[in-house]
C-alpha cells in the first residue's frame, strides 16, 4: 500500500518540476528538442499517472476502512514526517471518552427548600440548587460505532450525592437510507430546541421556567425515535417518537405499546454567510396515572391531589444566529425563544390520601403556558453577555366539582437573568449570573451564581 | 394524515427524479470546493460549508449543512481533525449512509499528503493541537496537486459514465497547475529565507514550500487568543531574531498583528488562506498568485 501510494506522489512531483524546467529554457531555441522530449515524457507520465489513479481508487474501494491509510508520499522537501499508523492492541477499539465537570457557588436570598412555581406543580429536578458551594452533576460520555450499522452513546451522570444515573443510552442505525435516522434507547426527546441539549451547553445557569413547569426540567424518552430529513433544499426534518412515558408530566403506567408519543418538525437555513436560523413545532402527548402533588386548598390546608388523564404539550421554538461573515470566533449574537402550551384533561382526586377526610373525585381541565426569550452576545473573543426573560401563565384551570376546595390565583411567575461568561478555550467556561426570580406572589428572590463547566477528553460536537 | 402522505409521496417522487444527474458535492472549506469545480466542471454541483472568512475549526452543525449532506453524493473534507467539531455531527444527523467515513462518498484530503508538525505531546494544555498533524495543507500548492489526483480518481469512481471526463479535466488541470507552481516558485524566489511572525500556526506548508522561516506565533498556544504578556515576549524575541513581516489569515482578528507590527516597525501581511479570503483569491490559481504577491509586498 505504501509503495503504491508513493509512486503517484513522486510522479506528481515530477510533473510539477517538468514544466518548470521547460519555462526556464523557453528563451533558448537550441533546446526545442529537449522541450519536445520533456513534453513526450510528461504525456507518458500522465498516462501512467491516470493508470495508477485507477489502480489507487480500486485499491481504496477494496480497503474501505474508516481510518485513513498511512501515506508515505513526500511531496515537500525536506520530507515531512509520515502519518502515524492507527494504534494497535486491545485498547484500539476503545470508544471516545469525554467527561464534563461542573460546579457552582450560589447566593440565594430565599431558602431554595421553599422554591415553587405558583400555579404549577412540576415534578423532576427543578429549582435554583443549593446555597453556597456545591458540585453539579459530573457527566461521563462514551461513544463509538458499534459496527457498520450502529453507533451508540452512553452518557452517565454522577450526582453529587454519589449516585449514578443514565442520562442517555442510545443507538443510531447509521445504515438507513433516504435521510432516515432511527434512534432507540434512552435519549432526550427531539421536541423544542433546548430539550435535546445537555445543561452544560445551556447559555444560562438553569433551565427556563417553562421547561421546569411543563417538563420538570427536560423530557427524556425510553423508546424509539425516527427522524426523516426531507430531500428539500431547505432543511426540513420531521420526527416521531414513542416511549415509555414515565417522565413528568406522565407517570409510570402498566401499558403495552407507547405510553408517550411525540411529533416534531424543524426547519432552518442560512441567509448569506452571516445569518442562520432554525424554527420548530413539536407536540408531546403523555398520560398520567395518579400524578400527585400537594396544593393549599381554600381552607388553608395542604391537600394531596392526584391527577389521572392525558397531557398534551405543544412547543414552538426558534433560534437565530448572527456572526459577521460567518466567523463566530470574534463576535456573534444568538437569539432564541420558545413557547410551551400544555393542555391536561382527566380527573383530579382531591385529598387523595384522605388525610383531611374530604376525599372527592372530579373532572379536571387545564390549559397553561410559558415562554422565554434570550439573547447572548459575544462582544469580544472569549467573552459573552446574555439576558433571558422567563414568563409563565397559569392559564385556566377548571377543577369541576373540586372547585369548592381548589382554585388557582392569577399570579404569573417571571424571572429575569443576566449572565456574563468567559470561555478561554472550547473546553472551559466560567460564568457569573444574576437573576431576579419571582415565582411566588410577593416573594422576589435575588439570585447570584458562579459556575464552572470543564470538558475533558474527546472533542465535543458543535451542536447548532 | 392523508394530506401528509400525499406530501411525503410528492417529496419522494421529487427526490427520485433523474433531473439531478450531476454529482452533488459538499466541500467543508472553499479550497476543496474550488478544486472539485476545477475537476468536475459542469458535471458536479458543489456546496461549500464554510465561508472564506470563517475559522474552519469553529463551525456549527447548522441546519443548512445537514440539508446539504442529506442530498450529497460526496463530502470532501480536509480531515486531520480540522472538522472534528461539526462534520461527524452533520453526517450523523443527515441520514445519508453514502457519506459515512470509509465509504467512497467520504473523502479526506489530508490522507493523501504528508502532514507536518505532528505534536510530540498530545495534551490540551498545549492548546488546540491536532493529533495527526497540522491540517492546513492547502497553503502548499504541491499538496493541492496530490489531492487533485486522488479526488479526480474518486470522482471517476463515483460517477463511472463520466470517468473519462474527470480524467481529462484532471490531466489538463495538472498541467496548468504544474506550470503555475513553477511560475509562483520563480516569482517567490526572493522570499527564500525570510523570517516572519504568524498569528496562528496556519502556514507551515506554505513556509516549507517557499523556504520561509517562522520565528514565533502571536497565539501563545494553537487556538488560544494572543495575550499581551505573550506579545511582549514575542516583541522581546524580535530584538535577537528580527523578522520582515507578521502574517495573518484573513479570518483572524487583526488587532494582535497590528499591535506587534506597530511596535516592531514591520508590515502586516494578510493572506487569503483560502479561495475567497481576499479579493484577489477568486479561484485556486488566484489564491496562490495573491499569496505570493502579498508576501512580496511585505518584503518591500
Amino acid at each position: 500500500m505504501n509503495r503504491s501510494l508513493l509512486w503517484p506522489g513522486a510522479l506528481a512531483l515530477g510533473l510539477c518540476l517538468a514544466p518548470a524546467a521547460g519555462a526556464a529554457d523557453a528563451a533558448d531555441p537550441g533546446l526545442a528538442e529537449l522541450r519536445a522530449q520533456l513534453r513526450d515524457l510528461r504525456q507518458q507520465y500522465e498516462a501512467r499517472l491516470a493508470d495508477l489513479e485507477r489502480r489507487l481508487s480500486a485499491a481504496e474501494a477494496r480497503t474501505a476502512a474508516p481510518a485513513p491509510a498511512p501515506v508515505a508520499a513526500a511531496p515537500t522537501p525536506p520530507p515531512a514526517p509520515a502519518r502515524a499508523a492507527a494504534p494497535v492492541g486491545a485498547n484500539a477499539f476503545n470508544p471516545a471518552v469525554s467527561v464534563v465537570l461542573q460546579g457552582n457557588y450560589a447566593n440565594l436570598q430565599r431558602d431554595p427548600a421553599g422554591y415553587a412555581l405558583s400555579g404549577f406543580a412540576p415534578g423532576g429536578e427543578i429549582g435554583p440548587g443549593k446555597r453556597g458551594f456545591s458540585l453539579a452533576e459530573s457527566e461521563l460520555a462514551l461513544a463509538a460505532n458499534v459496527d457498520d450499522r450502529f453507533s451508540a452513546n452512553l452518557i452517565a451522570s454522577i450526582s453529587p450525592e454519589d449516585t449514578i444515573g443514565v442520562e442517555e443510552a442510545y443507538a443510531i442505525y447509521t445504515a438507513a437510507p433516504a435521510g432516515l435516522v432511527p434512534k432507540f434507547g434512552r435519549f432526550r426527546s427531539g421536541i423544542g430546541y433546548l430539550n435535546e441539549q445537555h445543561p452544560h451547553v445551556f447559555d444560562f445557569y438553569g433551565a427556563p421556567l417553562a421547561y421546569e413547569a411543563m417538563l420538570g426540567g427536560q423530557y427524556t424518552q425510553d423508546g424509539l425515535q425516527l427522524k426523516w430529513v426531507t430531500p428539500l433544499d431547505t432543511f426540513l426534518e420531521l420526527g416521531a417518537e414513542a416511549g415509555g412515558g414515565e417522565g413528568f408530566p406522565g407517570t409510570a403506567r402498566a401499558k403495552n405499546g407507547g405510553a408517550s408519543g411525540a411529533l416534531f418538525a424543524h426547519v432552518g437555513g442560512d441567509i448569506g454567510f452571516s445569518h442562520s436560523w432554525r424554527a420548530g413545532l413539536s407536540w408531546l402527548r403523555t398520560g398520567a396515572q395518579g400524578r400527585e402533588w400537594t396544593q393549599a386548598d381554600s381552607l388553608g390546608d395542604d391537600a394531596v391531589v392526584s391527577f389521572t388523564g392525558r397531557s398534551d404539550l405543544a412547543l414552538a421554538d426558534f433560534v437565530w444566529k448572527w456572526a459577521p461573515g460567518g466567523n463566530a470566533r470574534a463576535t456573534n449574537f444568538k437569539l432564541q425563544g420558545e413557547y410551551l402550551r400544555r393542555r391536561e384533561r382527566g380527573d383530579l382526586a382531591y385529598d387523595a390520601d384522605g388525610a383531611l377526610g374530604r376525599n372527592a373525585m372530579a373532572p379536571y381541565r387545564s390549559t397553561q403556558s410559558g415562554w422565554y426569550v434570550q439573547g447572548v452576545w459575544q462582544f469580544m473573543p472569549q467573552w459573552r453577555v446574555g439576558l433571558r426573560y422567563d414568563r409563565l401563565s397559569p392559564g385556566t384551570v377548571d377543577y369541576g366539582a373540586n372547585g369548592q376546595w381548589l382554585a388557582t390565583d392569577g399570579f404569573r411567575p417571571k424571572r429575569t437573568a443576566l449572565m456574563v461568561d468567559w470561555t478561554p478555550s472550547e473546553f472551559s467556561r466560567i460564568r457569573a449570573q444574576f437573576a431576579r426570580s419571582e415565582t411566588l406572589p410577593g416573594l422576589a428572590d435575588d439570585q447570584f451564581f458562579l459556575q464552572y463547566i470543564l470538558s475533558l477528553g474527546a472533542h465535543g460536537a458543535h451542536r447548532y | 394524515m392523508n394530506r401528509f402522505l400525499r406530501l411525503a409521496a410528492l417529496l419522494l417522487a421529487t427526490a427520485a427524479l433523474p433531473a439531478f444527474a450531476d454529482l452533488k458535492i459538499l466541500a467543508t472549506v472553499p479550497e476543496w470546493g474550488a478544486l472539485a469545480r476545477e475537476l468536475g466542471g459542469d458535471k458536479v454541483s458543489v456546496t461549500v460549508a464554510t465561508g472564506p472568512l470563517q475559522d474552519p475549526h469553529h463551525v456549527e452543525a447548522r441546519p443548512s449543512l445537514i440539508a446539504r449532506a442529506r442530498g450529497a453524493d460526496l463530502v470532501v473534507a480536509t480531515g486531520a481533525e480540522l472538522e472534528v467539531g461539526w462534520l461527524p455531527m452533520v453526517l450523523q444527523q443527515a441520514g445519508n449512509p453514502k457519506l459515512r467515513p470509509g465509504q467512497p462518498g467520504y473523502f479526506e484530503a489530508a490522507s493523501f499528503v504528508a502532514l507536518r508538525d505532528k505534536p510530540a505531546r498530545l495534551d490540551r494544555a498545549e492548546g488546540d493541537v491536532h493529533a495527526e498533524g497540522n491540517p492546513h495543507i492547502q497553503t502548499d500548492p504541491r499538496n493541492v496537486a496530490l489531492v487533485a489526483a486522488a479526488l479526480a480518481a474518486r470522482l471517476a469512481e463515483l460517477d463511472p459514465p463520466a470517468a473519462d471526463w474527470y480524467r481529462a479535466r484532471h490531466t489538463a488541470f495538472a498541467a496548468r497547475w504544474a506550470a503555475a507552481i513553477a511560475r509562483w516558485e520563480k516569482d517567490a524566489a526572493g522570499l527564500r529565507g525570510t523570517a516572519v511572525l504568524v498569528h496562528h500556526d496556519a502556514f507551515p506548508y506554505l513556509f516549507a514550500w517557499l523556504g520561509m522561516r517562522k520565528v514565533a506565533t502571536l497565539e501563545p498556544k494553537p487556538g488560544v487568543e494572543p495575550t499581551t504578556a505573550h506579545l511582549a515576549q514575542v516583541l522581546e524575541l524580535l530584538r535577537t531574531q528580527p523578522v520582515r513581516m507578521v502574517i495573518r489569515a484573513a479570518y483572524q482578528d487583526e488587532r494582535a498583528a497590528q499591535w506587534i507590527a506597530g511596535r516592531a516597525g514591520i508590515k502586516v501581511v494578510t493572506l487569503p488562506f483560502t479561495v475567497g479570503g481576499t479579493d484577489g483569491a477568486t479561484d485556486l490559481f488566484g489564491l496562490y498568485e495573491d499569496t505570493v504577491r502579498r508576501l512580496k509586498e511585505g518584503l518591500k
Side-chain angles (χ1 to χ4, degrees), chain A residues 5 8-9 12-13 15-17 19-20 23 42 46 49-50 53-54 56-57 60-61 64-66 68-69 71 73-84 147-149 151 153 170 172 174-181 227-238 267-270 273 276-278 321 324-330 380-382 424 426-427 455-464, chain B residues 4 7-8 11-12 14-15 48-55 57-68 70 79-80 84-86 89 92-97 100-104 106-108 110-118 124 127-128 132 140 142-143 145-146 148-150 152-154 157 164 167 170-171 174-175 177-179 181-182 185-186 205 208-209 219 223-225 250-253 255:
Chain A
L5 282 168
L13 189 61
L15 276 176
C16 298
L17 296 175
R42 201 173 75 195
E46 276 164 4
L49 189 60
E53 280 163 12
R54 271 194 296 279
L56 178 64
S57 67
E60 271 170 13
V71 178
T76 50
R83 304 180 74 191
D147 55 21
D148 60 335
R149 293 180 172 270
S151 75
N153 271 304
Y170 63 82
I172 290 176
T174 55
L180 292 169
V181 187
K227 275 202 290 197
W228 181 47
V229 185
T230 61
L232 299 175
D233 253 6
T234 305
F235 173 76
L236 171 62
E237 168 189 87
L238 307 172
V267 59
D270 292 344
F273 279 125
S276 63
W277 60 279
R278 198 191 90 159
K321 295 187 185 187
N327 188 9
R329 187 77 186 278
M380 62 182 280
Q382 307 184 354
E426 269 191 78
F427 309 100
S455 315
L456 295 65
H459 197 300
H462 304 163
R463 178 180 274 282
Y464 185 77
Chain B
F4 173 75
L7 177 70
L11 290 173
L12 280 173
T14 320
V48 180
T50 52
L53 296 179
Q54 218 165 337
D55 186 335
H57 303 271
H58 296 268
V59 174
E60 284 179 335
R62 299 198 308 276
S64 62
L65 297 183
I66 297 168
R68 289 292 93 75
R70 157 72 168 90
V84 67
W86 58 277
M89 186 89 183
Q92 190 196 67
Q93 299 206 358
N96 184 348
R100 273 183 304 152
Q103 298 294 321
Y106 182 82
F107 181 92
E108 270 191 0
S111 359
F112 300 95
V113 303
L115 295 181
R116 307 185 74 88
D117 302 344
K118 184 179 155 61
R124 291 253 164 80
D128 198 1
E132 294 172 61
D140 181 346
R142 296 170 302 178
N143 283 339
L146 294 176
R154 189 65 64 86
E157 183 189 342
D164 289 333
R167 281 190 204 110
H170 173 247
T171 307
W177 194 247
I181 289 178
E185 283 178 351
K186 203 172 144 204
Y205 299 92
W209 174 45
E219 290 180 344
V224 178
E225 289 295 325
Y251 72 82
Q252 282 149 354
D253 194 19
R255 277 174 296 187

Side-chain angles (χ1 to χ4, degrees), chain A residues 43 45 49 64 70 74 95 106 114 120 128 191 206 218 263 282 293 303 423 436:
Chain A
Q43 276 159 6
Y45 274 153
L49 189 60
F120 292 86
I191 56 172
Q218 284 173 292
L263 292 174
S282 321
W293 68 91
T423 312
R436 166 158 287 201

